Amino acid sequence: MSFKQERLFPCSPGTERGSSTKLSSSGDKIVYTSGRTVIIRDLNHPLLTSSYAGHVKNATVARISPSGYYCASADDSGNVRVWDLVGEDRVLKREVKVFSGKIFDLAWDGESKRIFSGGQGLDKFGKVFTIDGGGDKDITGHSKRINAVSIRHQRPFRAVSGSDDRSVVFYDNYNYSKTITNHANWVQDVRYSPSGGHFVSVGSDFKVFLYDGTTGDTVAEVPKAHTGSVRGVSWSPDSKSFFTVSADRTVKLWDAETRQAISSWTVGPGVDHQQVGCTWAGSEGIASLSLNGDINIFDQRTGDRPSRILPGIQTPITSLALSRDKTLFASSSDGKVVAFSSSGEAERAKGDGHSSKILALSSSGDHIYSTGFDDRVREIDAPARSFTSTVAEIKPQPRAIFATKARLVFALTENSIRVVKEGRDLFSLDMTKYSPSSIAVSPAGLVAVGGEDSNIYLYHWEQINWENVQNEKNKLLEGAKEPVQIQGHTSPVTALSFSPDGSLLLSGDSKGRVVLYDHGQKSEIRAHNFHTARILSLAWAPDGKHFASGSLDTNVFVWSIKPNTKHIALNNVGPGGISAVTWTDERTVASAGADGCIRTFSITFAE
């Protein structure tokens, strides 16, 4: 068996209220960071989107060199990594420890040889270094952290930086030249025009200033620029215009010569639509970033709102579920559910959703069910991509759910199984002998519950009409008195899954052990011990002959039920850990986890 990565559904950029988030671009690709992951996202060809996960600490900014051969990325521990973009191996060219502290911005020179870095060190705030080694120089002139840096790409080289000390510092050949004190508050961004003739600074004082790119002299202030903190600025390729984004939720395009607004867009209401970053992205043009992680694309010719919005997930993905129409739904730790179509389009589920972390999703075909820290089980209409009004309150807090094709939802709490349908509580089974941790239901209605005591408990009811379960309570209670107990684990059972025909049962535990059972014979068929950390997800392929496991160890393994068949190891495919795996078709498995990305892999099975 073998595999090949098919596509990446990228996470959204990480944002922080009150701070600027640095986006960059190279052609039609935009580059940003989220957690420890660097995303290179192609706006026109989603299949060409890629990621880099070489940082140990959270990445803060990434920029592609003018040559297009390298990318430099920095993190919040002060490391800058320069890595190769040619090929899939992402070979590291150089790693530089700038200082002990967070780096907020990077800038390449026009020859792709030198990098200017700025941030928050203990006793220094910036450094210039070459990617081949040697020529490193500490930057002086600021008394507080540097928020933004930019380099003039033409000789003679000039550079600028903006800081929390409210100043812009101008450098001649990377040597301190002068301090500019136009701003009355933090300088959030500075950016040179592609021609090198001008640069712009923006700040938390709502102001925008234009400067001469060669001398650093102030040319003019842009009048009445914004009514909120200005978080970012980016130039058009022809250097004739630039645009700014602000916490006032507006994006404005300016004529560089007249300093008059050409266009103005209001993104939306509320804090979530505060604008925190921007970049001019090739043929797509103006791209801005909202606080909620949405990437907004604007057409200069039409409209008073974005022409396209790219939503996504900013926080760890907690669960995956596939609807009947092959749409992949993902839930996040901040309470969002996003639907990803097979074409790569993403859409956030509309309506009243969860107010806090979502723990699990489960599919019944045209409906997706979710549960979370808000003690609710909610229903999503999959074709409409919208939460319905159907909601059930489950107390104590649900730990896991499983939805059947009949739209019965089995909700597992710390001391019971609750069965609900269309928001109605149909049946409750109390558990006093053990603490449950995971659940799965077979097509025939056999319920498997994994326990914190390392055992699996099978609840079997014969001649039960699951469509009319409300009238079957007595049979349900009687049948649940003596569950069948299966042993085979030495740690809590954290994941369960029945094969499509219900004849086989998979289980995984907190130590990484995966066990395949013939539950009819109450016997273990095979055990696998290749994972090194907690199993969080198990999923059967539609053929019922293969299955996948996902773990906190960042790995996904694909197995065959045939004896003496080598498994496929998808190593390190989920930075921070894998929380969910599912099959999207007969030969494609999807995985997701802590980095907020979904990756799909085509699997070639052994003959």
Side-chain angles (χ1 to χ4, degrees):
M1 295 193 294
S2 61
F3 75 94
K4 177 183 178 182
Q5 181 169 335
E6 287 294 321
R7 69 181 311 162
L8 171 72
F9 297 93
C11 54
S12 292
T15 59
E16 181 180 348
R17 188 173 180 181
S19 297
S20 172
T21 298
K22 299 299 186 289
L23 303 182
S24 64
S25 59
S26 177
D28 290 332
K29 295 182 174 68
I30 60 172
V31 188
Y32 57 84
T33 64
S34 181
R36 292 184 290 175
T37 305
V38 177
I39 300 294
I40 302 176
R41 185 169 186 169
D42 195 305
L43 298 178
N44 293 325
H45 303 92
L47 288 175
L48 300 180
T49 296
S50 61
S51 66
Y52 175 76
H55 287 276
V56 177
K57 300 293 185 179
N58 285 341
T60 55
V61 61
R63 297 192 183 276
I64 293 177
S65 66
S67 68
Y69 293 133
Y70 297 103
C71 183
S73 55
D75 60 34
D76 58 15
S77 68
N79 286 315
V80 176
R81 295 172 67 88
V82 180
W83 37 281
D84 199 334
L85 288 174
V86 179
E88 298 181 357
D89 294 334
R90 302 291 193 244
V91 176
L92 181 67
K93 181 173 180 61
R94 189 185 182 196
E95 183 170 17
V96 177
K97 182 72 170 180
V98 175
F99 43 60
S100 295
K102 187 174 182 178
I103 294 176
F104 290 96
D105 202 7
L106 299 171
W108 285 88
D109 71 0
E111 299 174 350
S112 300
K113 295 179 179 179
R114 210 175 280 268
I115 295 173
F116 187 178
S117 61
Q120 174 71 70
L122 296 177
D123 55 357
K124 55 186 176 182
F125 307 103
K127 175 180 279 191
V128 176
F129 59 89
T130 64
I131 65 172
D132 292 319
D136 297 3
K137 179 187 296 185
D138 290 337
I139 293 298
T140 60
H142 288 293
S143 59
K144 292 184 179 180
R145 78 180 203 185
I146 294 176
N147 294 319
V149 295
S150 187
I151 297 177
R152 184 175 187 262
H153 282 184
Q154 297 76 20
R155 290 181 179 271
F157 289 134
R158 303 286 190 267
V160 290
S161 58
S163 168
D164 270 5
D165 63 11
R166 306 180 183 183
S167 71
V168 173
V169 172
F170 182 74
Y171 304 91
D172 183 349
N173 199 29
Y174 312 112
N175 295 311
Y176 173 83
S177 178
K178 63 181 176 180
T179 299
I180 307 167
T181 56
N182 288 330
H183 288 279
N185 209 328
W186 303 331
V187 180
Q188 294 280 8
D189 202 7
V190 292
R191 205 62 51 205
Y192 256 102
S193 64
S195 68
H198 297 91
F199 67 89
V200 171
S201 69
V202 301
S204 295
D205 56 0
F206 313 168
K207 294 184 177 182
V208 177
F209 290 93
L210 183 68
Y211 306 86
D212 183 278
T214 304
T215 64
D217 295 336
T218 303
V219 174
E221 176 184 350
V222 175
K224 298 179 181 180
H226 288 278
T227 58
S229 176
V230 189
R231 301 285 171 72
V233 59
S234 187
W235 285 84
S236 64
D238 62 8
S239 300
K240 293 181 179 179
S241 59
F242 60 90
F243 76 100
T244 54
V245 298
S246 170
D248 64 11
R249 306 184 304 281
T250 64
V251 175
K252 295 186 178 183
L253 179 66
W254 306 91
D255 184 289
E257 183 176 354
T258 65
R259 276 84 67 188
Q260 297 299 309
I262 301 171
S263 299
S264 179
W265 301 271
T266 299
V267 178
V271 173
D272 278 355
H273 292 100
Q274 290 185 357
Q275 299 301 288
V276 297
C278 62
T279 187
W280 199 293
S283 62
E284 285 289 347
I286 296 170
S288 75
L289 174 65
S290 298
L291 184 62
N292 66 359
D294 288 350
I295 296 173
N296 312 292
I297 309 299
F298 298 89
D299 189 330
Q300 301 175 52
R301 300 163 296 180
T302 60
D304 58 354
R305 64 190 64 186
S307 60
R308 187 156 63 113
I309 298 177
L310 306 177
I313 292 177
Q314 288 183 294
T315 57
I317 291 176
T318 57
S319 188
L320 293 175
L322 189 71
S323 66
R324 192 189 311 276
D325 64 0
K326 303 298 183 183
T327 298
L328 195 58
F329 286 78
S331 62
S332 67
S333 60
D334 61 356
K336 294 184 177 68
V337 175
V338 178
F340 296 88
S341 68
S342 57
S343 64
E345 296 297 319
E347 182 179 355
R348 190 172 291 117
K350 302 178 289 292
D352 294 331
H354 293 273
S355 58
S356 55
K357 180 178 180 177
I358 298 174
L359 293 171
L361 298 177
S362 188
S363 174
S364 68
D366 289 332
H367 293 86
I368 305 295
Y369 293 89
S370 59
T371 190
F373 278 6
D374 58 0
D375 301 344
R376 302 287 191 275
V377 172
R378 296 185 181 273
E379 181 185 71
I380 301 171
D381 183 329
R385 314 286 197 268
S386 177
F387 283 95
T388 70
S389 59
T390 300
V391 58
E393 183 176 0
I394 305 292
K395 289 186 178 296
Q397 184 182 97
R399 294 182 171 182
I401 58 172
F402 190 96
T404 70
K405 291 182 179 179
R407 295 176 65 184
L408 290 173
V409 180
F410 291 75
L412 193 67
T413 75
E414 64 180 19
N415 55 19
S416 67
I417 298 176
R418 299 273 294 278
V419 181
V420 297
K421 184 174 183 179
E422 298 177 353
R424 295 180 293 117
D425 199 342
L426 301 182
F427 171 70
S428 179
L429 174 64
D430 293 331
M431 299 175 178
T432 58
K433 295 183 179 180
Y434 69 97
S435 178
S437 55
S438 54
I439 188 170
V441 182
S442 76
L446 178 65
V447 179
V449 178
E452 297 283 351
D453 61 358
S454 307
N455 296 319
I456 300 170
Y457 298 86
L458 300 179
Y459 295 87
H460 183 64
W461 294 282
E462 295 182 355
Q463 298 177 347
I464 293 293
N465 180 4
W466 289 100
E467 295 287 346
N468 193 22
V469 69
Q470 181 68 33
N471 298 323
E472 303 279 3
K473 284 189 175 181
N474 290 334
K475 292 181 181 179
L476 286 166
L477 289 169
E478 184 176 348
K481 288 180 180 177
E482 296 296 335
V484 175
Q485 181 176 325
I486 298 179
Q487 299 178 340
H489 292 278
T490 59
S491 60
V493 179
T494 54
L496 292 167
S497 182
F498 280 102
S499 60
D501 64 2
S503 63
L504 301 175
L505 175 65
L506 277 174
S507 63
D509 65 27
S510 61
K511 291 184 178 179
R513 180 179 172 86
V514 177
V515 182
L516 177 64
Y517 293 100
D518 181 335
H519 62 79
Q521 301 295 323
K522 284 76 175 179
S523 61
E524 176 183 310
I525 297 175
R526 194 174 306 112
H528 303 286
N529 296 284
F530 290 91
H531 284 291
T532 58
R534 177 184 295 264
I535 304 295
L536 290 181
S537 186
L538 297 167
W540 284 89
D543 64 6
K545 299 177 181 179
H546 301 86
F547 59 90
S549 57
S551 167
L552 280 178
D553 62 8
T554 74
N555 303 324
V556 173
F557 290 156
V558 178
W559 320 81
S560 171
I561 63 173
K562 294 181 180 179
N564 303 318
T565 302
K566 185 174 177 59
H567 65 274
I568 302 176
L570 284 66
N571 292 320
N572 302 316
V573 295
I578 300 293
S579 60
V581 292
T582 192
W583 293 80
T584 59
D585 58 36
E586 288 76 7
R587 293 181 178 271
T588 305
V589 65
S591 70
D595 68 346
C597 297
I598 301 173
R599 295 169 175 85
T600 64
F601 304 88
S602 62
I603 307 298
T604 302
F605 299 132
E607 297 296 335

